[in-house]
């Protein structure tokens, strides 16, 4: 086979492998990631709208070089998704901090970061533990007679939403409102959404912003110890504050990023624990549980594809592969985290792993602001389950919904039993 024929064959097979990754119900996508990383580590994938990268160093390079791989501007996004760009929900999402470039990103990150301090996150620990224990107790009560519980809806969804409500300063009962509105807003960036879904995304967005803006106006007059107060209150060390439009985009970005991915991460962490009960003795404190959480996120990342859109500002070479200037680029974190060049024996789940390398929370200027809060949420739920539900088990074999863009479940039923 001549080199060109070999190249065409690899490209064809890579397209088939990506088709497998995008197929519903894929329980173990990692052999497919391994094939891509080994045979076609830089591949143009029309299904994902650009070039996809799978090697750890290549993915890390994209994330750490925002000048070379910037986010598209609003006009470029509009060309990619012309129908969606007509809607307010789309405009708010694509102009958020996740898709901002320096110097705008630098400014937003500085202003938001002062409200997302380690002290503020640490101050939430007791409240997060209370929320986790309360919901675990509810699951225990509802399944006390052997009843089957939908773990995702009964625990994985309400916990991060109540934590986010507590962080913002909303009443905890608003978690039900958030659970209704956020998925409807996110539909605006789904290419398969029809006109009705796009219109509904705007309805949901304005309902959410109206609710949040009531709190903003109160906190401007009566500040409290919450994130909204920190974002709207003047700071003596800053000469500027977020504009109203920036505040709205930040709130929506925090809520959308902190909901679906966090709920999926909780599902995967508990799924891993139930599959590996020998790790229960190590989940009695935050230190041991945090190591378990970090290994879960490396080993089976809940969001195995980068959330932000990036493109190559100029032609870039990755080894023997070339990405042309102007090309969209996506990084497959699920493949990168299991790259043997980054982590020895990457297929082995090992919470005692020394210095694991993971891109689960991103890297560079766009690394996740809520990383420590997300780790705390997952750890709190795991510790509460180990303490309060030692007999928790699968009621039936869980079914994965998909592998990309999330590793979520179509069905995750649990019950108590011997």
């Amino acid at each position: 086979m001549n080199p060109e024929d070999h190249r065409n064959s690899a490209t064809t097979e890579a397209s088939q492998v990506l088709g497998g990754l995008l197929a519903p119900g894929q329980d173990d996508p990692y052999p497919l990631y391994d094939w891509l990383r080994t045979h076609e580590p830089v591949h143009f994938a029309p299904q994902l709208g650009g070039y996809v990268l799978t090697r750890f160093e290549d993915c890390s390079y994209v994330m750490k070089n925002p000048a070379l791989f910037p986010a598209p501007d609003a006009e470029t996004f509009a060309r990619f998704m012309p129908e969606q760009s007509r809607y307010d929900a789309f405009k708010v999402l694509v102009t958020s901090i996740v898709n901002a470039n320096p110097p705008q990103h630098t400014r937003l990150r500085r202003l938001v970061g002062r409200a997302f301090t380690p002290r503020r996150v640490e101050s939430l620990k007791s409240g997060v533990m209370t929320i986790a224990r309360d919901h675990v107790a509810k699951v225990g009560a509802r399944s006390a007679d052997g009843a089957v519980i939908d773990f995702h809806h009964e625990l994985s969804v309400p916990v991060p939403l109540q934590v986010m409500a507590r962080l913002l300063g909303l009443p905890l009962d608003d978690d039900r409102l958030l659970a209704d509105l956020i998925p409807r807003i996110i539909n605006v960036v789904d290419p398969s959404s029809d006109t009705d879904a796009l219109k509904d995304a705007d309805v949901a967005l304005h309902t959410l912003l109206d609710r949040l803006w009531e709190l903003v106006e109160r906190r401007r007059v009566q500040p409290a110890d919450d994130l909204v107060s920190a974002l709207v209150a003047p700071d003596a060390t800053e000469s500027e504050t977020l504009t109203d439009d920036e505040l709205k985009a930040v709130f929506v970005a925090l809520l959308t990023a902190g909901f679906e991915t966090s709920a999926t991460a909780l599902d995967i962490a508990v799924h891993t624990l139930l599959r590996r009960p020998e790790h229960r003795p190590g989940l009695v404190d935050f230190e041991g549980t945090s190591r378990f959480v970090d290994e879960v996120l490396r080993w089976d990342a809940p969001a195995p594809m980068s959330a932000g859109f990036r493109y190559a500002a100029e032609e870039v070479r990755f080894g023997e592969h070339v990405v042309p200037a102007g090309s969209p680029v996506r990084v497959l974190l699920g493949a990168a985290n299991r790259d043997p060049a980054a982590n020895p024996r990457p297929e082995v789940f090992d919470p005692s792993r020394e210095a694991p390398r993971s891109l689960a929370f991103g890297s560079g200027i766009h690394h996740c602001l809520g990383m420590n809060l997300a780790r705390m949420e997952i750890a709190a739920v795991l510790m509460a389950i180990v303490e309060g539900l030692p007999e928790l088990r699968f009621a039936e074999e869980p079914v994965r919904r998909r592998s990309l863009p999330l590793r979520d479940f179509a069905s995750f039923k649990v019950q108590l039993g011997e």
Side-chain angles (χ1 to χ4, degrees):
M1 181 181 291
N2 66 47
E4 187 61 28
D5 287 342
H6 178 79
R7 177 65 184 161
N8 290 338
S9 176
T11 300
T12 299
E13 191 164 355
S15 295
Q16 294 170 347
V17 169
L18 275 164
L21 284 171
L22 291 168
Q26 181 66 253
D27 186 58
D28 182 10
Y30 292 99
L32 302 178
Y33 284 132
D34 289 344
W35 190 96
L36 283 173
R37 195 175 52 246
T38 302
H39 300 285
E40 191 79 355
V42 180
H43 173 71
F44 182 75
Q47 310 101 307
L48 298 179
Y51 284 84
V52 294
L53 310 183
T54 49
R55 292 182 296 211
F56 187 95
E57 293 301 335
D58 293 344
C59 294
S60 180
Y61 183 75
V62 169
M63 293 178 161
K64 291 179 178 179
N65 287 276
L68 189 55
F69 297 97
D73 58 24
E75 292 182 2
T76 304
F77 268 119
R79 290 198 299 273
F80 288 162
M81 305 177 82
E83 177 65 15
Q84 287 86 343
S85 67
R86 297 170 45 219
Y87 295 88
D88 292 341
F90 182 85
K91 294 171 187 174
V92 168
L93 284 174
V94 303
T95 57
S96 73
I97 191 171
V98 176
N99 288 305
N101 295 312
Q104 180 194 14
H105 177 272
T106 307
R107 173 179 171 275
L108 290 174
R109 185 89 181 193
R110 186 184 74 251
L111 293 173
V112 175
R114 66 184 171 89
F116 235 107
T117 62
R119 182 198 65 80
R120 184 178 302 281
V121 173
E122 183 64 23
S123 72
L124 292 168
K125 182 180 285 187
S126 64
V128 171
M129 286 297 300
T130 298
I131 289 170
R133 289 193 187 104
D134 286 350
H135 282 281
V136 166
K138 290 175 183 177
V139 167
R142 288 174 186 156
S143 57
D145 296 325
V148 173
I149 296 295
D150 184 319
F151 185 87
H152 178 77
H153 292 289
E154 295 282 345
L155 208 151
S156 294
V157 168
V159 167
L161 287 180
Q162 285 211 344
V163 170
M164 188 59 67
R166 183 181 291 272
L167 176 69
L168 291 170
L170 288 166
L172 294 190
D173 284 349
D174 276 7
D175 68 324
R176 288 168 291 188
L177 178 67
L178 300 178
D180 171 57
L181 297 177
I182 294 170
R184 291 162 56 193
I185 294 170
I186 294 173
N187 282 338
V188 81
V189 291
D190 184 342
S192 66
S193 291
D194 59 19
T195 300
D196 287 342
L198 297 177
K199 290 179 179 178
D200 183 64
D202 269 10
V203 172
L205 172 74
H206 292 297
T207 301
L208 175 65
L209 291 179
D210 287 347
R211 181 71 184 89
L212 286 169
W213 219 248
E214 294 173 6
L215 180 61
V216 167
E217 296 297 350
R218 287 202 304 273
R219 292 297 183 252
R220 281 176 167 157
V221 178
Q222 297 177 317
D225 187 19
D226 55 41
L227 186 63
V228 169
S229 298
L231 288 171
V232 303
D235 189 315
T237 66
E238 292 285 353
S239 60
E240 58 182 339
T241 57
L242 295 167
T243 67
D244 286 356
D245 285 344
E246 288 170 342
L247 271 174
K248 293 173 183 177
V250 165
F251 290 146
V252 173
L254 289 174
L255 288 166
T256 54
F259 165 53
E260 200 167 14
T261 304
S262 294
T264 300
L266 277 168
D267 285 343
I268 292 173
V270 174
H271 180 272
T272 305
L273 175 63
L274 297 184
R275 285 272 188 255
R276 291 167 172 76
E278 68 273 14
H279 292 290
R280 280 178 175 265
L283 308 186
V284 295
D285 56 32
F286 266 101
E287 182 179 356
T289 311
S290 294
R291 287 196 299 270
F292 183 92
V293 169
D294 289 341
E295 179 66 350
V296 167
L297 297 176
R298 179 205 69 82
W299 185 74
D300 198 8
M305 183 171 68
S306 57
F309 293 82
R310 303 290 179 262
Y311 72 95
E314 59 186 62
E315 181 181 283
V316 183
R317 181 174 290 277
F318 295 94
E320 71 277 21
H321 301 274
V322 174
V323 173
S327 300
V329 176
R330 308 299 296 272
V331 299
L332 295 187
L333 311 179
N337 288 344
R338 288 215 191 180
D339 187 343
N343 292 294
R345 300 176 67 211
E347 74 287 353
V348 175
F349 180 79
D350 180 11
S352 65
R353 185 183 296 274
E354 292 188 17
R357 303 180 71 192
S358 173
L359 298 175
F361 288 106
S363 184
I365 65 171
H366 288 283
H367 75 272
C368 179
L369 263 173
M371 176 180 72
N372 290 328
L373 182 59
R375 293 170 71 242
M376 182 190 295
E377 289 174 6
I378 301 167
V381 169
L382 290 171
M383 291 166 63
I385 286 174
V386 167
E387 178 185 3
L389 300 179
E391 297 177 353
L392 189 72
R393 62 180 178 85
F394 296 121
E396 57 188 42
E397 189 64 23
V399 177
R400 297 276 187 172
R401 178 185 174 199
R402 55 189 171 176
S403 292
L404 292 174
L406 285 177
R407 283 282 288 155
D408 52 359
F409 290 87
S411 174
F412 190 178
K413 304 294 179 60
V414 297
Q415 61 185 163
L416 297 183
E418 296 295 334

